[in-house]
Amino acid sequence: MPELVDPNPEGYTDEHLSRVVGRLIRQDMASYCQGGDDRALSLYRQHHARYAVAVVFPNGRVHSTCFAFEPDTVEVSSDPAACQAADVVHRIAASALVGWIERKKSFFYVRAYSRRFNTLYQLSHDSERVELKPRPLPDLLMHYVLNCSEGSELFAKQQVELQLAALKA
């Protein structure tokens, strides 16, 4: 799979990308992870999982934020070592993420500009063997934007309206 780059087809400024992405991840999503109570967060807490979002900017800069879950807390950090040790990672182009947040781009568009991977496993054993099973967890960034972010309940309606407006033009 090719390395993720951000071609920034909409021509967003670096300041706009940084501001919108920073607010989404370090404020809105961090608040959700620290105070939310839903099935996705419960799974992360149950497995003491670490989740990282790595946002790739058009100039090649990458800003990562890591969420380290424990049963009663979550620590949010931009420490590169913490982010490298994450169990679940979502790398995403900044302009695609901003277009998605601003409801200008669809989920399917964004998928072309993101890469996800999961390295979380559960170890089990009995008297005869040891078994390592993958523990897939929901992607927190996608879950938050689609289901929890402000205006998420209107996203599908807004997408249809944007597509109809484009067809009329």
Side-chain angles (χ1 to χ4, degrees):
M1 184 173 289
E3 183 64 27
L4 183 64
V5 295
D6 186 349
N8 193 13
E10 302 295 324
Y12 293 116
T13 66
D14 191 63
E15 187 276 327
H16 180 72
L17 292 171
S18 295
R19 183 173 32 81
V20 174
V21 166
R23 183 179 60 240
L24 172 77
I25 295 172
R26 291 186 299 279
Q27 291 176 16
D28 300 343
M29 195 169 149
S31 292
Y32 156 72
C33 288
Q34 291 168 332
D37 186 28
D38 62 24
R39 179 157 166 67
L41 293 175
S42 294
L43 287 169
Y44 275 82
R45 289 182 183 115
Q46 174 186 347
H47 295 292
H48 305 264
R50 294 161 298 181
Y51 177 81
V53 178
V55 181
V56 178
F57 286 81
N59 62 7
R61 174 174 62 99
V62 177
H63 186 275
S64 297
T65 304
C66 183
F67 301 84
F69 288 86
E70 293 298 328
D72 298 324
T73 63
V74 61
E75 182 180 328
V76 181
S77 169
S78 293
D79 175 38
C83 294
Q84 280 189 328
D87 303 299
V88 180
V89 177
H90 190 151
R91 290 179 62 85
I92 188 165
S95 66
L97 180 56
V98 169
W100 194 28
I101 294 164
E102 293 179 345
R103 313 297 191 227
K104 296 175 183 173
K105 299 293 181 187
S106 72
F107 167 81
F108 299 104
Y109 174 88
V110 171
R111 288 296 295 135
Y113 294 100
S114 71
R115 310 281 188 272
R116 297 181 297 160
F117 62 92
N118 180 2
T119 58
L120 187 65
Y121 293 89
Q122 184 169 354
L123 180 66
S124 63
H125 64 88
D126 59 26
S127 61
E128 296 179 16
R129 63 188 175 132
V130 173
E131 188 173 24
L132 196 59
K133 292 181 183 178
R135 297 301 303 177
L137 294 176
D139 184 83
L140 284 181
L141 177 63
M142 294 175 67
H143 173 71
Y144 178 75
V145 173
L146 288 172
N147 302 306
C148 305
S149 66
E150 184 178 334
S152 62
E153 68 280 357
L154 299 175
F155 181 73
K157 178 183 178 293
Q158 291 169 335
Q159 279 296 299
V160 169
E161 289 173 352
L162 283 173
Q163 290 175 7
L164 289 173
L167 289 172
K168 286 181 183 177

